[in-house]
Amino acid sequence: MTAPAFACPRRKSLVSEIWDFTGPGYRKAAKKFHSLANANGKHVVLTGATSGLGLSSARTLASLGARLTLVVRDAQKARQLEQECLALGAVSVSIILADLTLLADARKVVAELISRDEHIDVLINNAGALFNQRAETSEGIEQSTSLLFLSPVLLMRGLKPLLSRAEEGRVVNVVSGGMYTQRLSMSWLRSGFAHRYDGPAVYAQAKRALAIVTEEWHESWGAEGIFINSMHPGWADTPGVQSALPTFRKITQWILRNSDEGADTINWMALAPEMSGVSGKLFLDRQARTYYLNAKTRERPTDRQALLKYLSEMID
Ligand SMILES: NC(=O)c1ccc[n+]([C@@H]2O[C@H](COP(=O)([O-])OP(=O)(O)OC[C@H]3O[C@@H](n4cnc5c(N)ncnc54)[C@H](OP(=O)(O)O)[C@@H]3O)[C@@H](O)[C@H]2O)c1
């Protein structure tokens, strides 16, 4: 199901791979970009549309004429955004309120969309946060695990019947270059990261888990005409980075990309004709990238299987 045009490019040096995360990295890549395709009324479900990359994506997709369902947690921000997206040219905008750290809310989103019975062209799992303090939700799940891994997978799986009714359903999972620093640890994930909590590492574990599941499922989903991929946005100067990583932001501020630059590949993956039939890849700046920058972070096949087992225990 993978178009040869998106075979992974040859490995570059580590420094050059990391430099690609930056604003200058984006601008170098963007010299070859062409304009985004028109959305032509495609129905896009986008999570986390009220800030940073998601906000940029909502605005761009609206101006390209998408039909938007925005899954957000803040009703006031949602009202403003709905008006803005309509003014920009969205064919329609519908809002679903959900706190995606809660699996019950993710299930409610699925139930609401299934009851509306409209096909979905693109699901963008973008909502996210990096938590520097460990906390469990009222459902007893460590919050990074539920927000960054279990809820996106629940949305994917629950909305699959609606994605399969599109001419070509697509899923874009927003992960993170941070996952390059981590090898999936099933014992750590299973323990809810309880014995040792390190916000950036836990965040990276959850993103790594989402990327692995996307890779694991892509063949069977592709056989049903749904194409699922991950992307990482590089380093973008968003409110999320400003609040969760103030020191990182202070040091790197001069080379960070802006939200529009970080979100470009999300929108491109949602709409580009070149992405037709492409599945199971990880993208940065409209190019397929390696899943691992260091062989030591490659998980064992048994851990991939253990991850799928854990997933079915948590969400089935
Ligand atoms: N910026 C980067 O450099 C970078 C790098 C790698 C990956 N990412 C990923 O890119 C995505 C967007 O991040 P960002 O940098 O744009 O962050 P951001 O500015 O903080 O935006 C995050 C979005 O997710 C929403 N969200 C957070 N927690 C939620 C919850 N419990 N339920 C529902 N929605 C929730 C936020 O809603 P509110 O507006 O209500 O807070 C907001 O709309 C995330 O998945 C992040 O992990 C970003």
Side-chain angles (χ1 to χ4, degrees):
M1 283 303 165
T2 299
F6 289 108
C8 229
R10 262 196 27 226
R11 269 290 298 278
K12 305 192 272 190
S13 72
L14 186 60
V15 171
S16 142
E17 292 274 4
I18 305 285
W19 185 252
D20 285 352
F21 293 16
T22 65
Y26 171 85
R27 289 185 280 280
K28 184 172 171 214
K31 285 186 183 149
K32 296 187 194 139
F33 293 176
H34 51 71
S35 313
L36 291 167
N38 202 284
N40 287 326
K42 284 204 169 88
H43 181 202
V44 181
V45 176
L46 168 64
T47 70
T50 45
S51 172
L53 307 181
L55 178 58
S56 166
S57 195
R59 286 172 172 153
T60 302
L61 293 169
S63 66
L64 292 168
R67 207 150 50 82
L68 292 172
T69 297
L70 306 176
V71 180
V72 303
R73 61 177 169 176
D74 181 319
Q76 199 181 337
K77 286 186 188 174
R79 273 192 295 276
Q80 273 177 7
L81 183 58
E82 181 177 8
Q83 292 315 312
E84 186 184 350
C85 288
L86 286 170
L88 283 167
V91 172
S92 65
V93 181
S94 135
I95 303 288
I96 303 182
L97 292 178
D99 174 351
L100 293 173
T101 57
L102 297 173
L103 303 193
D105 274 24
R107 288 197 170 92
K108 270 196 298 189
V109 174
V110 169
E112 171 68 31
L113 284 162
I114 294 281
S115 76
R116 292 185 193 176
D117 200 32
E118 291 167 24
H119 80 265
I120 295 171
D121 294 287
V122 190
L123 165 65
I124 302 172
N125 274 316
N126 164 75
L130 188 158
F131 301 107
N132 286 308
Q133 300 298 320
R134 184 181 183 280
E136 290 184 4
T137 66
S138 55
E139 295 171 333
I141 301 174
E142 187 283 317
Q143 60 184 345
S144 320
T145 311
S146 53
L147 176 63
L148 304 174
F149 176 46
L150 298 174
S151 276
V153 177
L154 254 172
L155 293 180
M156 280 173 80
R157 205 188 56 175
L159 298 176
K160 195 176 176 194
L162 301 178
L163 286 158
S164 71
R165 281 172 37 197
E167 199 174 307
E168 183 188 282
R170 296 184 186 186
V171 176
V172 179
N173 284 327
V174 179
V175 295
S176 166
M179 78 179 190
Y180 284 130
T181 63
Q182 291 291 307
R183 171 177 160 169
L184 178 73
S185 168
M186 279 312 298
S187 56
W188 201 23
L189 178 67
R190 272 197 176 278
S191 75
F193 305 105
H195 54 284
R196 178 175 62 87
Y197 191 84
D198 167 346
V202 167
Y203 169 89
Q205 285 279 328
K207 294 288 193 183
R208 173 64 84 188
L210 180 59
I212 292 173
V213 170
T214 311
E215 220 191 343
E216 282 288 325
W217 284 359
H218 87 272
E219 278 190 24
S220 60
W221 284 54
E224 294 182 52
I226 308 169
F227 302 102
I228 64 178
N229 292 283
S230 302
M231 66 78 68
H232 83 84
W235 293 332
D237 191 7
T238 61
V241 165
Q242 289 156 22
S243 65
L245 297 169
T247 308
F248 167 82
R249 191 215 177 213
K250 200 169 165 193
I251 296 166
T252 58
Q253 203 171 1
W254 62 284
I255 50 163
L256 294 180
R257 45 181 69 192
N258 64 38
S259 293
D260 292 344
E261 293 170 339
D264 170 76
T265 294
I266 300 176
N267 305 322
W268 177 81
M269 290 169 76
L271 301 178
E274 306 93 285
M275 280 299 290
S276 178
V278 176
S279 207
K281 299 281 183 192
L282 168 69
F283 283 84
L284 167 69
D285 292 343
R286 305 190 186 190
Q287 266 199 344
R289 303 291 175 137
T290 176
Y291 275 94
Y292 306 90
L293 286 178
N294 177 342
K296 288 186 183 149
T297 59
R298 191 179 284 276
E299 66 289 335
R300 291 171 300 205
T302 49
D303 280 334
R304 292 175 82 93
Q305 291 316 309
L307 180 67
L308 296 177
K309 184 165 178 286
Y310 165 81
L311 188 58
S312 73
E313 287 165 19
M314 296 301 286
I315 69 172
D316 281 347

